[in-house]
Amino acid sequence: MAARRATLRDVAAASGVSPTTVSFVLNRTPGQTISAATRQRVEEAARELDYVPHGTARALREGSSRIVLLLVEDVADGGALRSFIAGMRSELEEEGCALVVHAAGAPATATDRLLAGVRPRAVLDLTLPYAPGAEGSDGGWVDGLAAHSLTQLRHLAEQGHERIALALPPGAPRSPALEARRSTAHEAAARLGLEPLVEVRIGEDAVAAQGAVAQLTRTSPQVTAVAGLEDDSALRTLAAMADLALTAPDDLAVIGFDESRHSALWRPALTTVRIEAETFGRRAARVSLGRDPGEWTVLPSSVVRRATA
């Protein structure tokens, strides 16, 4: 027989307070004059009893569940997204909530069923800032995607590079976010007073990548550095350079974007841009719960200085 699930009344009996007080403490209800000692006693009793609030009952009582729904692009990847999710999940768990991540590219009916089923407390759509005609922001030049592009290209400019190539994945942009990243890179170059970026598409296979880099050095010999749209394009550039007996940073400086798991393992190790996405995630979680996100205490992005730039 399965063990009986602890109830709110069990927690109240174990901590010597009323069920109402337990509810106030565990739900962090504002405006209550409950002593720190009582709060600690209730929280310890809840932990010892392994008390888990009944989600359905709480949803009916509050009008929504303790779930926050995060919509992401179905092709999105990279260190920033993983860190954002980790930071958001950690912050929500501290508030007694849970995070559900859902691909925004899924059929609308699937999203509708999810919304109806979990009745989320809040929905955060990470695809909206990159949608055509998106409004209501500074364009990302303070702490968004455009600011991170500035971080990347400013590093190269400070090293004396004026003519820079932008390494892109082959084919059309895979997502609105990558297209936005491409656009902000060009605008960042203009803001820094650099020459217009030279676009080069680095193929997925070794022969295509080698051909692209060889053509770049032949047709644009004034280019002294390559900025990857993301780390993968920068790493493919380095592989092609090795095949062509070119070295970084002597022949071409190379810098990635959105630090990947493999950037430090490459030889030479890839210089890249780290986005403080975990902090973004924590702040987003606070906003989704109606909390003050607090002041920034770290730079939104920074350069991870390694061997290639």
Side-chain angles (χ1 to χ4, degrees):
M1 179 182 295
R4 185 179 71 88
R5 174 176 173 170
T7 66
L8 186 140
R9 291 186 178 278
D10 294 329
V11 177
S15 55
V17 298
S18 69
T20 301
T21 298
V22 171
S23 178
F24 285 157
V25 171
L26 297 184
N27 288 318
R28 293 179 172 84
T29 305
Q32 304 302 315
T33 56
I34 301 173
S35 69
T38 298
R39 289 182 180 277
Q40 181 177 356
R41 195 162 68 248
V42 170
E43 290 169 352
E44 288 178 352
R47 282 195 297 271
E48 291 172 0
L49 293 171
D50 196 22
Y51 170 70
V52 178
H54 194 286
T56 302
R58 170 174 278 172
L60 291 172
R61 183 173 66 253
E62 297 181 353
S64 63
S65 68
R66 285 264 168 169
I67 291 174
V68 172
L69 179 61
L70 176 65
L71 301 178
V72 301
E73 290 182 349
D74 55 359
V75 296
D77 194 11
L81 180 61
R82 288 190 296 272
S83 295
F84 183 94
I85 291 173
M88 195 171 181
R89 177 173 286 126
S90 177
E91 188 74 17
L92 289 172
E93 287 176 351
E94 291 176 10
E95 295 289 338
C97 296
L99 178 67
V100 171
V101 182
H102 181 65
T109 53
T111 303
D112 290 341
R113 285 196 298 269
L114 181 61
L115 288 168
V118 303
R119 302 177 69 184
R121 180 165 179 169
V123 178
L124 177 61
D125 189 345
L126 284 188
T127 69
L128 288 180
Y130 312 117
E135 299 178 355
S137 73
D138 69 334
W141 293 102
V142 175
D143 55 18
L145 193 60
H148 309 325
S149 294
L150 273 175
T151 297
Q152 183 192 45
L153 295 181
R154 183 184 291 116
H155 178 71
L156 295 177
E158 290 173 348
Q159 309 306 313
H161 300 285
E162 298 179 356
R163 191 64 164 154
I164 299 168
L166 181 64
L168 306 171
R174 294 172 294 165
S175 70
L178 284 181
E179 180 55 40
R181 161 83 179 105
R182 176 188 180 189
S183 176
T184 57
H186 282 283
E187 189 170 348
R191 290 195 177 206
L192 292 168
L194 299 170
E195 294 290 329
L197 299 178
V198 177
E199 291 192 352
V200 54
R201 294 196 176 275
I202 309 298
E204 296 282 358
D205 63 89
V207 174
Q210 182 179 337
V213 173
Q215 183 177 3
L216 173 69
T217 58
R218 184 174 60 255
T219 59
S220 302
Q222 70 276 31
V223 168
T224 59
V226 177
L229 190 72
E230 9 76 292
D231 266 13
D232 282 355
S233 292
L235 290 170
R236 290 197 302 275
T237 299
L238 287 175
M241 288 174 61
D243 290 339
L244 295 168
L246 301 175
T247 61
D250 296 335
D251 295 304
L252 282 173
V254 180
I255 185 171
F257 187 89
D258 187 11
E259 183 183 22
S260 66
R261 296 169 176 171
H262 308 299
S263 57
L265 301 177
W266 197 266
R267 292 297 176 266
L270 177 66
T271 298
T272 188
V273 172
R274 175 183 297 154
I275 300 171
E276 296 301 330
E278 183 172 344
T279 302
F280 278 95
R282 285 186 170 274
R283 290 168 61 84
R286 292 174 199 145
V287 171
S288 70
L289 297 178
R291 311 275 196 271
D292 182 355
E295 297 294 328
W296 274 99
T297 58
V298 296
L299 290 173
S301 58
S302 59
V303 173
V304 182
R305 297 171 182 264
R306 298 193 182 115
T308 61

